[in-house]
Amino acid sequence: MELWLRFGALHIEDSSVDGSEEHKIRDQWLIASRGCFNGCVPDGIDEAVSTDIGRKIVTDAIYSLLAELKKAPDKLDRNVLNLMGCGEWIADFETYRLIELSEAILDLIDGKVGSGPEDTSFMLGCR
């Protein structure tokens, strides 16, 4: 999740207005992607998508990220990931996991997911 948030933050359209909604969401995602949270990453997605503008910012960023992930190699090199400032990577990371997470978050935003955290019939990134 932290790696996804780091990449997602980089796909938020820039705004020249200080304190803009884009800046608030990007700052939250950058903080949450530092690699120091255990078990609960404060992504702020629920709050961000609670307004029309926030929802557009988040979904536009996810679609932009998804387009790039689909063109990316099957595995992202750990040495490059270590340059991102979001934890220490000791192995390459499979791109499909980030694609699945992107699609799942879009489904959550669109209300297509009806199960809760107690349902373990599908675990993201484990297909």
Side-chain angles (χ1 to χ4, degrees):
M1 183 68 181
E2 291 165 337
L3 179 60
W4 182 88
L5 287 167
R6 181 57 56 115
F7 282 135
L10 299 174
H11 283 266
I12 293 175
E13 276 297 317
D14 204 6
S15 171
S16 59
V17 179
D18 286 336
S20 67
E21 197 64 25
E22 290 89 351
H23 286 183
K24 290 177 191 173
I25 295 168
R26 180 184 297 129
D27 288 350
Q28 178 64 41
W29 287 10
L30 289 173
I31 290 168
S33 69
R34 292 289 302 158
C36 59
F37 296 96
N38 290 322
C40 183
V41 179
D43 55 58
I45 293 173
D46 282 347
E47 181 181 325
V49 300
S50 66
T51 66
D52 289 341
I53 190 163
R55 182 184 176 111
K56 179 167 178 24
I57 292 165
V58 170
T59 56
D60 285 354
I62 295 171
Y63 283 119
S64 174
L65 174 58
L66 256 175
E68 295 305 315
L69 288 170
K70 289 178 178 180
K71 295 187 286 187
D74 290 339
K75 290 186 178 182
L76 303 176
D77 183 270
R78 68 183 175 278
N79 296 307
V80 175
L81 294 177
N82 283 327
L83 296 172
M84 300 287 292
C86 56
E88 182 178 348
W89 297 89
I90 58 172
D92 295 346
F93 194 84
E94 294 143 324
T95 307
Y96 82 89
R97 295 176 188 270
L98 296 170
I99 292 171
E100 278 188 11
L101 182 54
S102 299
E103 292 169 345
I105 291 173
L106 287 171
D107 285 348
L108 281 169
I109 292 169
D110 289 339
K112 295 178 183 174
V113 177
S115 60
E118 68 283 347
D119 181 3
T120 58
S121 61
F122 171 70
M123 301 292 283
L124 289 172
C126 295
R127 287 192 185 174

